[in-house]
């Protein structure tokens, strides 16, 4: 393989990343090559290190460099609350807010009859086991407001009914949102979840 073939292969690989198309990938690769000592070589070394050390947390499904992630290992996070999310990106989004101080459970996706994804393909049995084994007082279902997300939430609620308090994230009009710019589903959810003033 020639060096130009290697560069093209790198561009093609980068273009597979979410948010990067072929043009963005080409610009990123050219920038890294121009600053090879500052960007390309350290990035390659870091990617190799992360690739060798990253693993799923055996408790919650988060990712980290040890068998138990930092959140599960933190005794201060043992509040009895478990927030259920579809994937690690959702966990990170909730962590950025700094509001939730309990522990998480990453399902690894949602139930989908079309894609043949059932409860055993997800981490739903592990969630049920955690509720039985740990001192869990509340399970917060923080799943996306999609058909598959809501189907998954209903399935989990059925499995855990009567065992633990079940809650879900509020849905509806975001702070600073204008009604004219919202889709019909968001407006419907906001009307159904209205509260007294």
């Amino acid at each position: 393989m020639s060096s130009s073939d290697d560069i093209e292969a790198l561009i093609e690989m980068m273009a597979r990343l979410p948010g990067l198309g072929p043009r963005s990938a080409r610009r990123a690769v050219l920038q890294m090559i121009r600053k090879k000592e500052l960007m390309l070589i350290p990035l390659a070394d870091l990617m190799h290190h992360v690739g060798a050390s990253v693993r799923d947390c055996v408790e919650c499904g988060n990712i980290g460099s040890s068998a138990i992630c930092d959140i599960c290992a933190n005794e201060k996070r043992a509040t009895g609350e478990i927030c259920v999310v579809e994937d690690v990106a959702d966990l990170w989004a909730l962590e950025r807010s700094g509001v939730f101080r309990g522990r998480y459970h990453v399902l690894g996706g949602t139930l989908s009859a079309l894609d043949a994804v059932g409860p055993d393909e997800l981490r739903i049995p592990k969630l049920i086991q955690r509720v039985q084994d740990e001192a869990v007082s509340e399970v917060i279902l923080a799943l996306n407001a999609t058909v598959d997300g809501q189907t998954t939430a209903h399935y989990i609620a059925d499995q855990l009914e009567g065992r633990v308090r079940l809650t879900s994230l509020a849905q509806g009009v975001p702070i600073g949102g204008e009604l004219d710019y919202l889709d019909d589903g968001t407006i419907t959810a906001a009307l159904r979840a209205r509260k007294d003033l």
Side-chain angles (χ1 to χ4, degrees):
M1 212 179 206
S2 72
S3 61
S4 62
D5 290 340
D6 290 341
I7 294 169
E8 284 302 318
L10 178 58
I11 292 169
E12 286 177 24
M13 185 65 72
M14 294 281 292
R16 294 180 191 171
L17 295 172
L20 286 183
R23 294 174 72 190
S24 298
R26 185 171 302 282
R27 284 194 302 270
V29 168
L30 286 174
Q31 180 70 13
M32 288 188 293
I33 289 171
R34 284 187 193 119
K35 297 185 179 187
K36 186 167 115 176
E37 299 298 324
L38 290 173
M39 296 179 79
L40 186 62
I41 293 171
L43 178 63
D45 291 343
L46 192 54
M47 289 177 79
H48 177 73
H49 174 72
V50 169
S53 65
V54 73
R55 61 190 64 181
D56 292 340
C57 175
V58 296
E59 290 296 319
C60 73
N62 189 11
I63 56 174
S65 57
S66 60
I68 304 290
C69 74
D70 294 340
I71 294 172
C72 288
N74 185 343
E75 285 301 317
K76 292 179 181 175
R77 304 288 299 248
T79 63
E81 297 173 328
I82 293 179
C83 185
V84 179
V85 295
E86 289 179 27
D87 59 35
V88 174
D90 297 332
L91 184 155
W92 289 354
L94 286 165
E95 276 298 286
R96 275 194 314 271
S97 75
V99 175
F100 182 67
R101 302 308 303 158
R103 292 187 173 156
Y104 294 93
H105 189 84
V106 179
L107 294 176
T110 55
L111 297 172
S112 173
L114 291 175
D115 297 323
V117 178
D120 293 333
E121 283 74 42
L122 303 176
R123 299 185 78 249
I124 294 175
K126 175 68 175 171
L127 172 63
I128 295 167
Q129 190 66 46
R130 284 182 74 188
V131 169
Q132 290 174 352
D133 296 346
E134 299 175 22
V136 177
S137 58
E138 179 181 5
V139 171
I140 304 163
L141 300 174
L143 303 176
N144 291 324
T146 61
V147 171
D148 288 344
Q150 296 309 299
T151 300
T152 306
H154 287 298
Y155 178 84
I156 292 171
D158 287 344
Q159 297 299 305
L160 295 176
E161 189 175 6
R163 299 185 195 190
V164 66
R165 178 179 178 219
L166 291 164
T167 59
S168 65
L169 295 183
Q171 297 173 353
V173 179
I175 293 175
E178 296 181 32
L179 292 177
D180 189 37
Y181 294 105
L182 299 178
D183 62 276
D184 295 344
T186 301
I187 292 173
T188 300
L191 279 170
R192 289 184 179 153
R194 64 188 182 273
K195 59 183 182 173
D196 294 330
L197 293 175

